[in-house]
Amino acid sequence: MSGRLPAEALGRRVLCGTERATVRYVGGLPAAAGIWLGVEWDDPQRGKHDGTYEGTQYFKCRHPRGGSFIRPNKANFGVDFLTAVKDRYGLKEQDVQNGTKNTLVLGKKTVELIGMDSIAEQQSQLNLLVDISVRECAVSHAGQKEEISRTCGNIRHINLSKNLLSSWDTVTDIASQVPNLETLNISENKMKFPSTSISVLFSLKITLNILIYLFILCLFGAGLLILFVCLFFQCGRPDNVLQTLKLLDLSDNQLLDGNQLHQIAHLPRLEQLILRNTGISSIHFPDSEFGHKTKMFPSLKRLAINDNKISQWSSINELEKLPSLRSLQCHNNPLMDTEKNPETLRQLIIAKISQLEVLNKSEILPAERKGAELDYRKIFGKEWLAAGGNWNPERNKPSGEFRAAHPRYAALCLKYGAPEEGELKGQQPLTLKNQLLSKSPEMVKIILSSMTIQRVKGLLYRLLKIPGSELKLSYESSKLAGKEVELDNDLKPLQFYSIENGDCVLVRW
């Protein structure tokens, strides 16, 4: 597309050599004939200024030297999807009418197509494609209407990462022609997402719409109401796009906020959503209150929100509303810096999301969940009492502020019982130096050589009256200065961990 300025060039993504940019200005410049493009480079070091020329600012950049002015013939506005597919898979259309050879590469197999029937044969072969990758192929638009569905409508998996897609509308233009699409990777495109969602407005404002219909009924009668309702449903209902999608990767596309996720919240089969480095700072599902499940993302099992700007626990609380969530990746967010101990942070997240089975690629075992939930119940017990909580159910009325900060606390009290007064005294970890390991020479020998962690927990139960399932053991050694080693396998003996006489064993519950 070099040398041609497409309609609606403003906001489009372009290639200039190997560098990517976004068009921020189209027009003239003083004392410079012709049309110029003001572009903001993905790599700000490629730029020269902030969009200002001779004292006048023509566009804005996020970086003070991230912009440049270039001629349109220096910008590549990209190709349509089907052209990229043909180029990527080796399909060459050269003088078909003269009978020259054409080839199509399917995986490692090259198919030769010769003569007047080659176009039909090419389309037949393209229809065999199920898994397509056109990563870094400068795809910028869908192309002619219905051309994709006619040529390769059997696609189920598409990789469109690192292309020139500038808006979500382009994605839906492509996806609407692929009725059985299951996975879609559109990461690294820097797309623009719409700020409002028809689908969300439709679902959240249905009550208001009914009132409007009743008002119209009173004014104009039932006949006009029926016509109006039909028109509303035809125009307002979301397009039947991406309904079979199971995996969507939006990584490295900048979202304004988490509310833009509502654009895709009602995809019925979406099981995995990847939102790495999208800039979101919050997540909110406004259609349900705490204690109830949202109707958004009904099938979502795996969610990745790592490398973002989430800093508040309220976003983690919101994830409890997702009915099917089983796996979460959330590292590298400001929230992760709120706790010095990574293990404490992990326990808090586990306690807040009841159905989670995998956190940051690490499986959550039943014993870990129970320990996390019991600890959470104890840690915030005093705050619960101060906010109006009470062991007497008739007097248990914690404040709305507490319920918003700890929406699962009531459920944990129902599951394990309200924390008892003795549990809320802030007991410190019990240090077992030589009181267990040095009662006698014989005892020291037995413990160090063969006693399993499980038997140690049994001894502690007799001493402390605390079930072994609630105990967590670790030890510190002078040989491992500043490091605490967790005794995490009940079936292993103490010697497995190289514990020596004089080491310090810590007990937590």
Side-chain angles (χ1 to χ4, degrees), residues 257-442:
D257 54 53
N259 292 333
Q260 290 184 307
L261 297 177
H262 300 165
Q263 301 289 335
I264 55 173
H266 295 284
L267 297 181
R269 300 184 185 180
L270 186 64
E271 296 181 0
Q272 184 172 358
L273 180 60
I274 305 172
L275 300 171
R276 181 183 59 82
N277 192 31
T278 55
I280 58 173
S281 58
S282 64
I283 297 174
H284 182 47
F285 305 115
D287 66 326
S288 63
E289 298 179 354
F290 290 117
H292 301 275
K293 297 299 182 182
T294 177
K295 293 182 179 179
M296 300 182 182
F297 298 103
S299 301
L300 189 64
K301 296 179 181 179
R302 296 178 292 279
L303 175 63
I305 53 174
N306 37 309
D307 301 302
N308 279 296
K309 300 177 181 178
I310 295 173
S311 59
Q312 300 297 322
W313 281 106
S314 57
S315 291
I316 301 298
N317 292 337
E318 287 287 321
L319 296 180
E320 166 66 7
K321 296 179 180 180
L322 292 171
S324 303
L325 186 64
R326 297 294 183 272
S327 175
L328 175 66
Q329 293 183 46
C330 58
H331 48 266
N332 294 336
N333 277 282
L335 178 65
M336 305 300 111
D337 298 329
T338 60
E339 292 289 339
K340 294 182 179 179
N341 188 338
E343 185 62 27
T344 300
L345 186 77
R346 176 179 171 86
Q347 289 186 337
L348 290 173
I349 295 173
I350 292 172
K352 284 177 174 290
I353 307 176
S354 61
Q355 299 179 99
L356 208 59
E357 297 174 356
V358 179
L359 176 58
N360 290 331
K361 298 184 179 181
S362 178
E363 183 181 4
I364 302 169
L365 298 176
E368 183 182 18
R369 170 162 292 285
K370 182 178 180 180
E373 292 178 342
L374 285 170
D375 284 350
Y376 190 94
R377 172 176 149 275
K378 295 175 185 177
I379 290 171
F380 297 100
K382 290 184 178 180
E383 187 177 334
W384 170 69
L385 288 173
N390 196 284
W391 292 284
N392 184 342
E394 295 181 357
R395 299 173 59 187
N396 180 32
K397 297 179 181 180
S399 66
E401 183 179 356
F402 179 86
R403 294 197 305 271
H406 308 282
R408 279 208 74 213
Y409 199 86
L412 294 178
C413 287
L414 287 174
K415 186 176 182 179
Y416 300 106
E420 297 180 3
E421 187 174 1
E423 296 180 88
L424 304 181
K425 292 182 178 179
Q427 293 171 312
Q428 298 296 319
L430 178 62
T431 299
L432 303 180
K433 275 196 173 177
N434 292 328
Q435 63 178 19
L436 291 181
L437 299 180
S438 302
K439 284 193 173 182
S440 68
E442 293 77 16

Side-chain angles (χ1 to χ4, degrees), residues 428-433 436-437 453 456-457 460 464 471-477 483-487 499 503-509:
Q428 298 296 319
L430 178 62
T431 299
L432 303 180
K433 275 196 173 177
L436 291 181
L437 299 180
I453 303 301
V456 173
K457 288 183 176 180
L460 289 168
L464 305 173
L471 297 175
K472 292 186 177 181
L473 306 187
S474 60
Y475 85 95
E476 295 176 343
S477 172
K483 184 176 182 181
E484 184 176 330
V485 179
E486 186 177 357
L487 307 178
I499 296 180
D503 288 346
C504 177
V505 177
L506 302 176
V507 182
R508 292 182 174 88
W509 66 91

